[in-house]
Amino acid sequence: MIYSQIVGTGRYLPERIMTNADLEKIVDTTDEWIRTRTGIEQRHVAEDDQKTSDLCVEAAKVAMEEAGVTVEDIDLIVVGTTSPDLIFPNIATIIQHKMGIPACAAFSIEAACTGFVYALSTADKFIRAGDTKCALVIGAEIITKLIDWGDRSTCVLFGDGAGAVILKPSEEQGIVSTHLGADGQYKDLLYYPVGVSNNLAAAGVGDSRIIMSGNDVFKVAVKTLSSVAKEALDANNLSLDDVDWIIPHQANLRILQAMAKRLKVSMDKVIQTVQIHGNTSAASVPMALDVGIRDGRIKRGQTLLLVAFGGGFTWGSVLLRY
Ligand code: COA
């Protein structure tokens, strides 16, 4: 039996930090409101000339170094993102070229904030099928370029970043199971109203913004993150006592607290980065994973449960032995 094993992780955050106090200067909000409603204290924001692929390259370099692999070893690149550099070619090929990775399959997956979990699940299937020996899997966003900085209901929530993992085949158990899902009936609760075949010509810079029904999204997020966690545990006859760390998509601290309450699990078991990263969409899960590994909390042999949720709605989980 072949399993996929995570052999290296990395993250990259743009240098520029925007605090809640900085936001108070540009929109009608307060640090107190943002902290109490979301838990967010600061977020990183990319420079105008930074591309999502730039963030990916930096995160990938760290993950590859930790894994002890070179560009010659990589034979699959999968990137979860909703904010690619270009409509085409896909961002994975741009990263491939920037890093000098030899010819291999390279593609991106768009599943909003669930993008990394979709990407990891897909790469896992390539590895288990025997087609891939070393996959670079990334979740990355420069979501702040989609933000209307005059819309206080959304601009305080998001941030930029990239997280990367290197996956290799192993005879020892690594990724145990993955579960993906989506329900398109919720599209109107969270979306960006411009696409290639929809309003593209009419849209100018700053004309569009993220459309979100915050309260409705909040409720579905709590319910979905909890049910997707239970689905993964039930499928493997495990309970939360068997899980060392839950690594959820980081949208809002209150969503994480409500999820933990519903699952009857302590917040001490939940890796939390939303306070310092904001909601980085597809980048949030791999960056939280990397934070937990690098600060020493997540140790080899432990059981991790990655859960995510995003626009669509999309959702997914990855249960793994690290
Ligand atoms: N600063 C100050 N006041 C703000 C504000 C801000 N940044 N944003 C909204 N408000 C105001 C609203 O205008 C509203 O005022 P009103 O009562 O006079 O109309 C009030 O705060 C309450 O707004 P409400 O939307 O009910 O707040 P909330 O407690 O639901 O929190 C969110 C709003 C967006 C933080 C919360 O709904 C949320 O996090 N939802 C999920 C969003 C998400 O995670 N999206 C991504 C999913 S992947």
Side-chain angles (χ1 to χ4, degrees):
M1 179 98 175
I2 306 176
Y3 292 96
S4 311
Q5 183 81 50
I6 293 180
V7 294
T9 62
R11 71 179 184 279
Y12 179 78
L13 289 140
E15 277 177 29
R16 185 170 150 220
I17 291 175
M18 189 181 270
T19 63
N20 293 346
D22 295 328
L23 279 166
E24 283 178 353
K25 291 177 201 143
I26 58 172
V27 73
D28 181 17
T29 191
T30 60
D31 173 53
E32 205 260 333
W33 192 96
I34 302 171
R35 276 176 200 259
T36 51
R37 302 293 177 122
T38 73
I40 298 168
E41 295 160 20
Q42 61 167 53
R43 69 288 293 142
H44 291 247
V45 177
E47 299 300 333
D48 286 347
D49 62 353
Q50 262 179 322
K51 306 282 185 289
T52 304
S53 63
D54 297 327
L55 278 48
C56 293
V57 167
E58 296 310 316
K61 280 185 198 160
V62 179
M64 286 168 63
E65 190 180 339
E66 194 196 303
V69 302
T70 68
V71 291
E72 307 291 330
D73 297 315
I74 305 288
D75 58 358
L76 173 71
I77 308 169
V78 190
V79 184
T81 188
T82 308
S83 45
D85 296 18
L86 300 171
I87 289 166
F88 72 89
N90 83 67
I91 189 171
T93 65
I94 297 172
I95 296 162
Q96 179 188 35
H97 180 64
K98 282 186 178 173
M99 298 189 75
I101 296 171
C104 66
F107 57 92
S108 59
I109 290 180
E110 190 201 324
C113 302
T114 320
F116 176 76
V117 166
Y118 265 66
L120 189 59
S121 170
T122 304
D124 171 53
K125 287 166 181 39
F126 273 76
I127 295 223
R128 284 194 292 119
D131 288 343
T132 292
K133 297 282 171 273
C134 186
L136 169 59
V137 188
I138 303 174
E141 305 283 4
I142 298 190
I143 204 87
T144 58
K145 287 190 183 168
L146 294 179
I147 278 176
D148 172 355
W149 292 103
D151 176 12
R152 68 177 184 173
S153 65
T154 54
C155 76
V156 302
L157 302 176
F158 296 97
D160 302 328
V165 306
I166 301 294
L167 267 193
K168 277 187 158 187
S170 164
E171 283 177 11
E172 281 176 36
Q173 212 173 34
I175 291 181
V176 179
S177 72
T178 69
H179 292 86
L180 303 180
D183 188 343
Q185 72 170 302
Y186 294 108
K187 174 235 153 195
D188 288 343
L189 297 186
L190 179 58
Y191 68 105
Y192 193 81
V194 173
V196 179
S197 60
N198 190 356
N199 297 335
L200 188 63
V205 176
D207 283 353
S208 299
R209 61 178 181 179
I210 294 170
I211 312 290
M212 183 179 79
S213 303
N215 280 312
D216 296 324
V217 174
F218 191 103
K219 284 180 218 144
V220 187
V222 172
K223 226 165 72 183
T224 308
L225 286 173
S226 316
S227 64
V228 83
K230 280 189 188 138
E231 180 187 28
L233 294 170
D234 290 350
N236 294 288
N237 284 323
L238 296 175
S239 78
L240 276 163
D241 292 340
D242 301 307
V243 173
D244 295 289
W245 296 104
I246 302 175
I247 303 160
H249 168 51
Q250 311 278 320
N252 179 323
L253 185 60
R254 282 166 53 225
I255 291 179
L256 303 188
Q257 287 164 338
M259 173 202 75
K261 193 169 166 202
R262 223 177 148 103
L263 290 171
K264 299 189 178 66
V265 69
S266 159
M267 278 296 276
D268 293 345
K269 236 186 205 192
V270 180
I271 303 280
Q272 303 160 43
T273 54
V274 66
Q275 297 92 331
I276 52 167
H277 293 169
N279 179 348
T280 57
S281 185
S284 90
V285 169
M287 290 207 297
L289 172 68
D290 187 59
V291 166
I293 289 170
R294 280 175 198 275
D295 69 19
R297 278 179 292 172
I298 298 175
K299 297 181 180 61
R300 282 281 168 203
Q302 288 188 327
T303 301
L304 315 183
L305 179 54
L306 282 47
V307 287
F309 163 86
F313 290 131
T314 56
W315 58 83
S317 68
V318 178
L319 184 84
L320 66 97
R321 307 230 190 273
Y322 176 61

